[in-house]
Amino acid sequence: MPTLNIVMVEPEIPQNTGNVARTCAATGARLHLVGPMGFRIDDKKLKRAGLDYWHLLDIAYYDSLSDFFSQNTGNFFFFSTKATHIHSDMHYPDNCYLFFGKETAGLPEKLLYENPDHCVRIPMLNNPDARSLNLSNSVAIGVYEVLRQWGYPNLLCKGQLREYKW
């Protein structure tokens, strides 16, 4: 199965991280949490948002971005409202990493500046009041674009009604 990596850099809101953890667990993506974080990993809000999916989660923790980069290599894609490339125009290879920044500031601008060809944006309304999407929603959009490009490997693509048969 292809490997998809989600990297959350300095997340601040436990519910967002819990929602992202649930998305990763349900899709088989690996979650990388880069500190410092704005909450403790045993936070009740984090656990509640992830519900009962924690046993399905492949998760790694890092003290900082330099710690992360010292342990990981691959194709990196940086999601940002400041990017000039549209996320769905990119090709995402196996073992790629999708980076998302903290809720209040996004990813460090130096990181974006040093990687302009790998910075991607999810299109939004051209209005200064529409600053950004919710972090966990942005992660879900990114994850499912990659999985769509890959043909949804090992994912169940057909459901069944409880009381009726299709």
Side-chain angles (χ1 to χ4, degrees), residues 108-158:
E109 283 199 357
K110 184 174 191 246
L111 181 66
L112 300 175
Y113 180 77
E114 292 171 349
N115 298 281
D117 293 336
H118 289 96
C119 293
V120 297
R121 170 185 179 84
I122 300 168
M124 297 184 328
L125 186 65
N126 184 13
N127 183 313
D129 293 334
R131 294 181 311 277
S132 65
L133 295 168
N134 173 274
L135 178 60
S136 62
N137 291 338
S138 296
V139 172
I141 291 168
V143 165
Y144 273 91
E145 173 57 25
V146 173
L147 295 174
R148 182 195 67 79
Q149 288 185 18
W150 293 354
Y152 302 108
N154 294 330
L155 296 184
L156 182 62
C157 292
K158 183 179 177 185

Side-chain angles (χ1 to χ4, degrees), residues 7-162:
V7 183
M8 296 184 72
V9 179
E10 300 180 11
E12 299 167 314
I13 301 173
Q15 294 93 328
N16 279 335
T17 303
N19 288 338
V20 170
R22 184 174 177 171
T23 297
C24 290
T27 60
R30 184 160 198 235
L31 178 59
H32 302 261
L33 295 179
V34 178
M37 294 185 285
F39 52 89
R40 291 185 328 273
I41 200 64
D42 61 353
D43 191 301
K44 288 180 188 175
K45 294 174 185 169
L46 174 73
K47 298 293 186 187
R48 188 172 352 157
L51 296 174
D52 57 349
Y53 289 78
W54 290 102
H55 68 285
L56 297 173
L57 190 60
D58 181 3
I59 189 167
Y61 303 94
Y62 307 89
D63 292 330
S64 64
L65 265 176
S66 59
D67 183 27
F68 173 86
F69 286 121
S70 72
Q71 298 181 50
N72 297 281
T73 59
N75 291 288
F76 301 137
F77 297 90
F78 306 97
F79 280 68
S80 172
T81 59
K82 301 166 183 88
T84 59
H85 302 289
I86 297 174
H87 75 291
S88 55
D89 288 344
M90 303 301 279
H91 169 73
Y92 300 96
D94 182 19
N95 201 36
C96 63
Y97 292 78
L98 309 185
F99 283 72
F100 298 86
K102 61 183 167 182
E103 290 88 343
T104 58
L107 292 167
E109 283 199 357
K110 184 174 191 246
L111 181 66
L112 300 175
Y113 180 77
E114 292 171 349
N115 298 281
D117 293 336
H118 289 96
C119 293
V120 297
R121 170 185 179 84
I122 300 168
M124 297 184 328
L125 186 65
N126 184 13
N127 183 313
D129 293 334
R131 294 181 311 277
S132 65
L133 295 168
N134 173 274
L135 178 60
S136 62
N137 291 338
S138 296
V139 172
I141 291 168
V143 165
Y144 273 91
E145 173 57 25
V146 173
L147 295 174
R148 182 195 67 79
Q149 288 185 18
W150 293 354
Y152 302 108
N154 294 330
L155 296 184
L156 182 62
C157 292
K158 183 179 177 185
Q160 183 56 51
L161 300 171
R162 289 188 200 123

